[in-house]
Amino acid sequence: MNRGRSVTQLSICVWFVGCVFWAVPSASLAQGLSVDQRLERLEQKTLSQSPGAEQETGNMVFFRGGWAGLINDRSNEVETDVFGFSGSNDNNNGYYVGAGLDLVLTRDIWDLFPGTWVLGEIGVEFKRFNSKDVTQAVPSTCAAAGISTCSVETNKKVQITMLTVNVAPKIMFMEGSRFRPWIIPVGLDFHVISPPSNDTTVLDIGVQFAVGAQYRIWKAIHLGVDGRFHLATGQTDTTNNYGTAGAYVGIAF
């Protein structure tokens, strides 16, 4: 009887000592972690236990469209309307379509403002401005030169278009909210104009400024609005400044 009681007591002692040796390293490890590290471990544990949980990465592909307007029209040029020979191609309003990528650079402006992101935007944008039926420069010039296969074209539509590729930093506020406003303080633009200018050049560079906001409507799908102003340097000897206002659909990934 005493022998059986001694075995039981010994088993309890062994179990107790084992628990102590297991708990002490765990407690020491927990004490060695900072508050942020503990929170991070708890968050990772929670996510691992919830297969349906999702984290917002911030990276996004988006598709844009809306109104576009030139500050100065391109009438009375050689290629746009042959100096107004049979009417001026002087409309400066039109539309734009575009797409791009937002890539997260930092989620706290490099430890300066928690919850405020900086993204790198890479975008491409096509614009078509309302165009008129005017004299076409190349067929008419060809006919004036006496080429028998050419004829004067005084009532043909000449499209005024522009292609822009941009790279810009985008500052986005209100981390964790469905509604997130943003600004582009300044970004770099590369423009291609069509038709060519009187200098027969098509390439220009400039900067852009923008403000907008987006709302997450369902999972990775976002809807947003933005307005932008583009200031060009006039490398083509034309004024290529313009503004846009429109909406976009974004898909986060």
Side-chain angles (χ1 to χ4, degrees):
M1 182 72 176
N2 292 335
R3 183 179 180 181
R5 182 178 299 175
S6 298
V7 171
T8 302
Q9 292 176 347
L10 180 61
S11 300
I12 293 174
C13 289
V14 171
W15 174 83
F16 177 76
V17 171
C19 290
V20 170
F21 277 103
W22 174 83
V24 169
S26 299
S28 300
L29 179 61
Q31 291 177 355
L33 296 176
S34 67
V35 175
D36 291 339
Q37 290 173 325
R38 294 180 188 179
L39 290 175
E40 184 177 356
R41 291 183 63 186
L42 179 60
E43 183 180 3
Q44 292 174 350
K45 182 178 180 181
T46 302
L47 288 174
S48 64
Q49 293 175 349
S50 305
E54 297 180 2
Q55 283 184 300
E56 185 179 6
T57 66
N59 300 326
M60 179 183 294
V61 58
F62 58 84
F63 304 91
R64 308 170 50 231
W67 168 87
L70 285 168
I71 302 304
N72 297 88
D73 64 64
R74 294 195 55 200
S75 61
N76 295 306
E77 296 180 24
V78 175
E79 298 282 354
T80 59
D81 56 19
V82 191
F83 299 109
F85 182 79
S86 62
S88 295
N89 209 347
D90 56 1
N91 283 337
N92 56 4
N93 292 311
Y95 68 85
Y96 76 91
V97 293
L101 289 172
D102 280 338
L103 302 175
V104 175
L105 303 179
T106 173
R107 295 174 181 269
D108 54 11
I109 309 189
W110 296 280
D111 296 328
L112 294 178
F113 296 98
T116 301
W117 294 4
V118 176
L119 304 98
E121 179 187 281
I122 303 172
V124 59
E125 178 183 272
F126 170 82
K127 292 160 289 294
R128 178 191 179 277
F129 303 100
N130 295 335
S131 305
K132 293 184 177 181
D133 294 336
V134 293
T135 300
Q136 285 188 321
V138 174
S140 300
T141 303
C142 177
I147 307 300
S148 60
T149 57
C150 298
S151 60
V152 177
E153 300 286 357
T154 60
N155 192 31
K156 292 284 187 172
K157 189 177 292 295
V158 176
Q159 305 282 3
I160 307 297
T161 60
M162 181 185 295
L163 181 69
T164 299
V165 176
N166 77 280
V167 180
K170 179 183 289 184
I171 302 175
M172 185 171 288
F173 307 95
M174 298 174 60
E175 179 182 32
S177 172
R178 282 181 173 267
F179 174 78
R180 303 200 63 184
W182 55 264
I183 62 170
I184 293 178
V186 63
L188 180 63
D189 288 340
F190 302 91
H191 304 294
V192 181
I193 67 169
S194 178
S197 68
N198 288 346
D199 294 344
T200 63
T201 56
V202 297
L203 297 178
D204 200 359
I205 60 173
V207 295
Q208 67 164 281
F209 314 93
V211 61
Q214 66 187 39
Y215 185 83
R216 182 169 62 86
I217 58 174
W218 181 71
K219 292 190 176 180
I221 308 301
H222 298 70
L223 289 180
V225 294
D226 72 51
R228 306 182 184 223
F229 179 72
H230 300 257
L231 184 64
T233 58
Q235 302 291 320
T236 58
D237 200 26
T238 57
T239 303
N240 301 316
N241 305 331
Y242 70 95
T244 62
Y248 64 91
V249 176
I251 304 173
F253 64 92

